[in-house]
Amino acid sequence: MSERTALVRRPSPHLGDGIVTHLERRPVDAALAVSQHEAYVAALESAGWRVRWLPPADDLPDGVFVEDTVVICDDLAVLGRPRVPERVGEIPSMEGTVTGLGLEVTRIDEGFLDGGDVLQVGNTVYAGRSARTNEDAICQLTRQVATRGRRLVPVALNDCLHLKSAMTALPDGSLIGVPDLVDTSALPYLRVAQEPAGAHVVVLGEKQVLVGASAPRTAEQLAAEGYDVTVVDIGEFEKLEGCVTCLSVLIPGKPGCAERRA
C-alpha cells in the first residue's frame, strides 16, 4: 500500500494576530502553541502518517491552518481561493508542495473557497456555504470533483466559520456534528456530538480517530464504541477558531513524500 502523507506547517510566532470571526479575541501563548502543534504532529506520526512540512510562513499568522488552502480528491489537488486577503499568501507554498508530490493541480478561480468548508465522505463531497466559501466556488468545485467520480452536496451554515467547524465524519462514514449549525435537510443523518468540540474528528485509520482535549465526552463515547481514540490539546489554536482538522491535510495512499525535516 502507498504511503499516507500528512501536510503540516509550523505555527507562526505571530499566531496571536490570526483572524477571529465568531469568538472574542483572547491572548495566545505562542510557545505553548508550538508545543501543542508538536504533540499533534507526533499523534499523526504514531498513527502511521508520514509528515511533510510546508515551508515556514512566519509572516502569515493563519498559515498553520493548512486545511483551508487545498482540497485533495484522490490524485487531484484543488487549490483554495481565500476571501480574506491576509491568507492569499498561503496558497503558493501549498501549490509547490502538492505539485512536488505528483498530484494533478487545479485551482478555484471563480468566487472564494476555504478547504475547511469541504468534507469528503466516500463518494460524497459536502461543501459548506459560509462567509469564506460561496456559490460560484462550489459550482466550480462540483465540476472538478466530478472528474474523480464524486458528487457534491452544498450545505448551508448558521453562524459558523467552516463546515468542519460544525460537522465531520467517523471512519464508518457516519456524520457527527452540531445540528443547530448546519442545514440538516441536506444530510442523510447527523449524529449529535456530545459537546461542540466533539464535532471535530480526524479519521486516522479504519478504527483510529483524533479529537481535541476540549471534547472529553465525545472521546469517551467513541472509545466505548471500540474506536482507538487519540486526544490532543490544541487549546491555543481553538482561541482562533481552529480545530483538529484545520492543522493538517491528509493524503491517503500517495507516494513520493519527503523525509520529515526539522
Side-chain angles (χ1 to χ4, degrees), residues 17-34:
D17 296 327
I19 301 163
V20 177
T21 304
H22 296 280
L23 298 178
E24 181 178 347
R25 185 175 294 278
R26 292 182 288 162
V28 172
D29 185 329
L32 178 56
V34 169

Side-chain angles (χ1 to χ4, degrees), residues 154-172:
V155 182
L157 305 182
N158 303 314
D159 297 322
C160 184
L161 181 63
H162 287 132
L163 178 65
K164 285 185 180 176
S165 304
M167 74 176 202
T168 51
L170 298 175
D172 64 1

Side-chain angles (χ1 to χ4, degrees), residues 7-115:
L7 306 182
V8 300
R9 193 192 320 264
R10 297 196 187 284
S12 162
H14 305 293
L15 178 68
D17 296 327
I19 301 163
V20 177
T21 304
H22 296 280
L23 298 178
E24 181 178 347
R25 185 175 294 278
R26 292 182 288 162
V28 172
D29 185 329
L32 178 56
V34 169
S35 296
Q36 291 179 347
H37 191 263
E38 289 174 348
Y40 176 90
V41 170
L44 299 180
E45 291 181 314
S46 295
W49 292 83
R50 183 112 175 245
V51 168
R52 169 114 180 190
W53 291 89
L54 289 157
D58 288 353
D59 57 336
L60 300 172
D62 290 290
V64 70
F65 301 120
V66 296
E67 178 183 51
D68 292 329
T69 59
V70 71
V71 174
I72 303 293
C73 187
D74 294 336
D75 63 340
L76 177 67
V78 182
L79 297 172
R81 190 168 187 235
R83 180 186 290 271
V84 181
E86 295 91 331
R87 301 202 64 184
V88 173
E90 300 170 28
I91 301 296
S93 58
M94 177 58 78
E95 180 176 10
T97 298
V98 293
T99 298
L101 290 174
L103 301 179
E104 178 183 346
V105 180
T106 62
R107 63 181 64 247
I108 294 295
D109 52 24
E110 301 170 9
F112 302 98
L113 181 135
D114 272 4

Side-chain angles (χ1 to χ4, degrees), residues 110-173:
E110 301 170 9
F112 302 98
L113 181 135
D114 272 4
D117 277 317
V118 181
L119 173 64
Q120 299 183 65
V121 184
N123 290 325
T124 302
V125 177
Y126 296 99
R129 292 193 189 99
S130 72
R132 302 289 181 88
T133 298
N134 64 10
E135 193 67 32
D136 287 343
I138 290 174
C139 288
Q140 188 177 16
L141 183 64
T142 298
R143 297 191 295 270
Q144 291 169 327
V145 300
T147 66
R148 298 305 189 271
R150 306 297 202 276
R151 71 181 185 98
L152 188 143
V153 176
V155 182
L157 305 182
N158 303 314
D159 297 322
C160 184
L161 181 63
H162 287 132
L163 178 65
K164 285 185 180 176
S165 304
M167 74 176 202
T168 51
L170 298 175
D172 64 1

